[in-house]
Amino acid sequence: MKLTILGCYSATPRALTNTTSQVLEINNHMFLIDCGEGTQVQLRKHKIKFNRIKHIFISHLHGDHFYGLVGLISTFRLLTREADLHIYGPKGIKEIITLQLKLADSWTNYNLYFHELTSKTSELIFEDEEVEVHTIPLDHRIYTNGYLFKEKEGNRKLDINLVEEANINVAYYRKLAQGFDVLNEDGILIKNSTVTKAGAKPKSYAFCSDTMYKVDIVPIIKNVDVLYHESTFLDKNANLATKTKHSTAKEAASIAKQANAGTLLLGHYSTRYGDLNLFKEEAEEVFDSVELSEDGKEFEF
Amino acid sequence: MKLTILGCYSATPRALTNTTSQVLEINNHMFLIDCGEGTQVQLRKHKIKFNRIKHIFISHLHGDHFYGLVGLISTFRLLTREADLHIYGPKGIKEIITLQLKLADSWTNYNLYFHELTSKTSELIFEDEEVEVHTIPLDHRIYTNGYLFKEKEGNRKLDINLVEEANINVAYYRKLAQGFDVLNEDGILIKNSTVTKAGAKPKSYAFCSDTMYKVDIVPIIKNVDVLYHESTFLDKNANLATKTKHSTAKEAASIAKQANAGTLLLGHYSTRYGDLNLFKEEAEEVFDSVELSEDGKEFEF
């Protein structure tokens, strides 16, 4: 599981900082999460192949989270993309994008699917053999969802020595990986657990931005490996966090602690602060494993 | 008259090139012309004071000319702008912007005025004591206007020695600058032309992008000091210019020649070409005074 931070600052793009966007690579999927203005340029800088992005998840309709979306969709068209593109986001996102494509007389030459969200409870919105994605209803000034990405239980790992000793035909290796007992060349049933081990533990990632401190999300993200939780403000500006429905670094850490997260990743910093380490220090008063997002930073989990 | 090129490439923003946007300073006005994605960052890089921009002119609703507008409007709001903002552009632009502000529940705290254009003939769309702005109807795939910016005849210049010799009271200097005859301290009428000279010749600037070769614009921009005319393609791709309703460098030069422009400024280059000098060379086969736009370049005329 690899996460690339394309932008992690709040409010407006500036010469050296970008608004929210990140790419999550998980089990051969490449998910784009939020898409602030300038995201397509950030994707180019990081040499991320546009065609690998097939699913884009937008948290809410504040500009710093989606003003780059229409440009990315248009660029895909100019690059003669053929692959389907799925957009998940709040109701209204389809109207915004299609109005602009219509007035530009520039409909896409690939299939563009909108999955508009309105539910106030967590939903499963994407699922295939490897991964599932659930919404995390957040509490911000407008309708907002975080997203929980979960790998499914992976294949079992064959112990090749034991498999060969057991005289199992290669044709059955896939069945073994899927956890089935199989017949060997002598017609004897071989118990799966005697020749395989459990595969890698499935990973999970939760993206929670923008939101005020909301304990209701804890059960949804319980035991998540990595939690990205917005921390727009430091504790001294907690009053602003309340007023604007954002969180402080300490509040983000409190959610991470209650959820028993593996690692807390902070981000969506207000640009009023010079030193990001202050966010880390405040969060570490509450929770041990804290990392700072920074534009361009890559995390492998 | 000063022109700052924020972006001059077609299609999509890339790591080192920007889509169309430019700032024209003329007679204390600061006009923003087109606003591709990332324009607000370009404005910051060039330290252009956001509050000085009171009028934005959008040529047409293709993304590379206006996808940065909604972000700029939002940033103005976050910076607690108070000054009025006037947007000129094709019908539909108001719906695009207001839909996004409505869904973000983020109406501006300053007055935002939309001046939607539909006319297919040139119109006077802005005028004050110093400057007037006219549309230049262009021929592109969708409804498009260029813009002609004209200084008005300026004040006359006082010859201070002659004025003092003529024994004119300081209180009358403003009247002299405005071209009036005045009474001197001895009650004698002094003819304006005997103590003043004509002021600086009023300057004019025409922005023509995007458009195919269209001779109808020549009378509108006749004798313009500086003509920015798009040149998306080189001559070898003239077929593409026709197909996509763009111009070649030679066609831009032909318009400049017929209009008797002072200087031709090329731009809106397709990103397929490596060497911009080829555009200049081709245009110079037709017209003498050719300059190349480049992102970040400033021109004083």
Side-chain angles (χ1 to χ4, degrees):
Chain A
M1 188 167 76
K2 181 179 168 187
L3 182 73
T4 304
I5 306 295
L6 302 176
C8 64
Y9 287 83
S10 65
T12 67
R14 299 178 306 169
L16 299 173
T17 64
N18 294 278
T19 51
T20 303
S21 185
Q22 36 185 264
V23 176
L24 179 70
E25 281 186 74
I26 184 170
N27 231 323
N28 293 318
H29 292 70
M30 194 164 243
F31 295 128
L32 184 67
I33 308 168
D34 278 349
C35 190
E37 184 176 351
T39 293
Q40 61 176 305
V41 173
Q42 286 291 91
L43 287 168
R44 283 185 195 270
K45 281 186 185 163
H46 289 278
K47 301 195 192 311
I48 291 167
K49 290 219 170 67
F50 284 7
N51 264 329
R52 287 199 57 203
I53 297 171
K54 300 199 169 66
H55 303 270
I56 302 178
F57 299 86
I58 302 294
S59 60
H60 65 302
L61 297 181
H62 280 156
D64 54 332
H65 294 258
F66 90 103
Y67 280 169
L69 180 61
V70 66
L72 187 62
I73 288 170
S74 301
T75 293
F76 284 165
R77 184 184 67 80
L78 289 167
L79 298 175
T80 64
R81 176 191 179 103
E82 291 180 355
D84 294 352
L85 182 66
H86 294 265
I87 314 272
Y88 303 80
K91 186 165 171 51
I93 196 165
K94 181 178 178 180
E95 187 183 357
I96 289 173
I97 299 298
T98 53
L99 174 65
Q100 292 181 82
L101 298 180
K102 187 186 80 180
L103 287 168
D105 195 17
S106 302
W107 194 247
T108 61
N109 36 9
Y110 55 91
N111 292 319
L112 187 56
Y113 298 99
F114 290 93
H115 306 266
E116 293 198 318
L117 307 173
T118 52
S119 172
K120 287 179 177 166
T121 55
S122 180
E123 306 178 278
L124 176 68
I125 55 170
F126 172 81
E127 182 174 24
D128 66 8
E129 284 184 6
E130 285 108 23
V131 178
E132 52 189 55
V133 185
H134 301 254
T135 58
I136 309 168
L138 300 176
D139 190 357
H140 191 43
R141 300 196 298 279
I142 56 174
Y143 177 74
T144 306
N145 284 295
Y147 296 101
L148 174 66
F149 302 84
K150 287 166 74 172
E151 281 184 326
K152 291 189 173 177
E153 200 70 51
N155 283 347
R156 291 188 66 82
K157 234 177 160 174
L158 278 59
D159 183 322
I160 203 66
N161 290 332
L162 295 177
V163 169
E164 285 177 355
E165 269 173 36
N167 200 22
I168 299 169
N169 190 295
V170 173
Y172 289 103
Y173 285 10
R174 202 177 138 75
K175 282 275 171 205
L176 283 176
Q178 291 169 342
F180 293 99
D181 301 337
V182 299
L183 291 174
N184 75 354
E185 298 281 39
D186 310 312
I188 299 165
L189 187 75
I190 307 294
K191 292 284 279 184
N192 190 291
S193 60
T194 62
V195 294
T196 71
K197 287 185 293 191
K201 185 180 162 290
K203 290 281 196 335
S204 58
Y205 174 70
F207 171 89
C208 297
S209 187
D210 295 354
T211 188
M212 64 184 297
Y213 176 76
K214 189 187 186 202
V215 287
D216 312 26
I217 69 174
V218 169
I220 304 169
I221 61 173
K222 197 80 191 175
N223 299 321
V224 71
D225 290 298
V226 182
L227 167 64
Y228 176 94
H229 194 292
E230 72 126 290
S231 56
T232 308
F233 295 105
L234 293 175
D235 200 38
K236 66 179 174 186
N237 298 118
N239 60 327
L240 285 180
T242 307
K243 191 178 156 199
T244 60
K245 290 202 163 195
H246 283 297
S247 303
T248 64
K250 269 191 190 169
E251 288 171 333
S254 172
I255 295 290
K257 188 178 182 183
Q258 292 172 72
N260 189 37
T263 301
L264 169 65
L265 196 53
L266 298 175
H268 200 266
Y269 317 110
S270 163
T271 53
R272 78 191 60 213
Y273 307 111
D275 182 6
L276 294 187
N277 284 311
L278 298 172
F279 288 90
K280 191 163 190 274
E281 285 166 17
E282 289 196 356
E284 282 174 343
E285 289 174 26
V286 179
F287 185 71
D288 279 340
S289 178
V290 180
E291 298 273 356
L292 291 173
S293 299
E294 286 180 55
D295 291 11
K297 212 165 172 179
E298 295 177 0
F299 296 90
E300 304 242 13
F301 299 105
Chain B
M1 187 167 77
K2 181 180 169 188
L3 182 72
T4 304
I5 306 295
L6 302 177
C8 64
Y9 288 83
S10 66
T12 67
R14 300 179 306 170
L16 298 174
T17 63
N18 295 278
T19 51
T20 303
S21 184
Q22 35 185 265
V23 176
L24 179 70
E25 280 185 73
I26 183 170
N27 230 324
N28 293 318
H29 292 70
M30 193 165 245
F31 295 127
L32 184 68
I33 307 167
D34 277 351
C35 190
E37 184 176 351
T39 293
Q40 61 175 304
V41 173
Q42 286 292 92
L43 287 169
R44 282 184 195 272
K45 280 185 185 165
H46 290 277
K47 302 196 191 312
I48 290 167
K49 291 220 169 69
F50 285 6
N51 264 329
R52 287 200 56 203
I53 297 170
K54 301 199 168 68
H55 303 270
I56 302 178
F57 299 86
I58 301 294
S59 61
H60 65 302
L61 298 181
H62 280 157
D64 54 332
H65 294 258
F66 90 101
Y67 280 170
L69 180 61
V70 65
L72 187 61
I73 288 170
S74 301
T75 292
F76 284 165
R77 185 184 66 80
L78 289 167
L79 298 176
T80 64
R81 177 190 178 103
E82 290 181 357
D84 293 353
L85 182 66
H86 294 265
I87 315 274
Y88 303 80
K91 187 166 169 53
I93 197 166
K94 180 178 178 180
E95 188 183 358
I96 289 173
I97 300 299
T98 53
L99 174 64
Q100 292 181 83
L101 298 181
K102 187 186 81 180
L103 287 168
D105 196 17
S106 300
W107 195 248
T108 61
N109 36 10
Y110 55 90
N111 292 320
L112 187 56
Y113 297 99
F114 289 93
H115 305 266
E116 292 199 318
L117 307 173
T118 54
S119 172
K120 286 177 178 169
T121 56
S122 179
E123 307 178 278
L124 175 67
I125 55 171
F126 172 80
E127 183 176 22
D128 66 7
E129 284 184 6
E130 285 108 23
V131 179
E132 51 190 57
V133 184
H134 301 255
T135 58
I136 308 168
L138 301 176
D139 190 357
H140 191 44
R141 300 195 300 279
I142 56 173
Y143 177 74
T144 305
N145 284 295
Y147 296 101
L148 174 65
F149 302 84
K150 287 167 75 173
E151 281 184 327
K152 291 190 173 175
E153 202 69 53
N155 284 347
R156 291 187 67 81
K157 234 178 159 174
L158 278 58
D159 183 322
I160 203 66
N161 289 332
L162 295 177
V163 169
E164 286 178 355
E165 271 172 34
N167 199 22
I168 299 168
N169 190 296
V170 174
Y172 287 103
Y173 285 10
R174 202 176 139 74
K175 282 275 173 207
L176 283 176
Q178 290 169 343
F180 293 100
D181 301 338
V182 299
L183 291 174
N184 76 352
E185 297 283 40
D186 310 314
I188 298 165
L189 187 73
I190 306 294
K191 291 285 277 184
N192 191 290
S193 60
T194 62
V195 294
T196 72
K197 286 185 294 191
K201 185 178 162 290
K203 290 281 196 336
S204 58
Y205 174 71
F207 171 89
C208 296
S209 187
D210 296 353
T211 188
M212 65 185 297
Y213 176 76
K214 190 189 186 199
V215 288
D216 313 24
I217 69 173
V218 169
I220 303 169
I221 61 173
K222 197 79 190 175
N223 299 321
V224 72
D225 290 298
V226 183
L227 167 63
Y228 176 95
H229 193 292
E230 72 127 292
S231 57
T232 309
F233 295 105
L234 292 175
D235 200 38
K236 65 178 176 187
N237 297 120
N239 61 325
L240 285 179
T242 306
K243 192 178 154 197
T244 60
K245 291 204 162 191
H246 283 296
S247 304
T248 65
K250 269 190 189 170
E251 289 172 333
S254 172
I255 295 290
K257 189 179 181 183
Q258 294 173 71
N260 189 37
T263 301
L264 169 64
L265 196 53
L266 297 175
H268 201 265
Y269 317 111
S270 162
T271 52
R272 80 191 58 213
Y273 307 112
D275 182 6
L276 294 188
N277 284 311
L278 298 172
F279 288 91
K280 190 161 190 274
E281 286 166 17
E282 291 197 355
E284 281 174 343
E285 289 174 27
V286 179
F287 186 72
D288 279 341
S289 178
V290 180
E291 299 272 356
L292 292 172
S293 299
E294 287 181 55
D295 291 10
K297 212 164 170 180
E298 295 177 1
F299 296 91
E300 304 242 12
F301 299 104

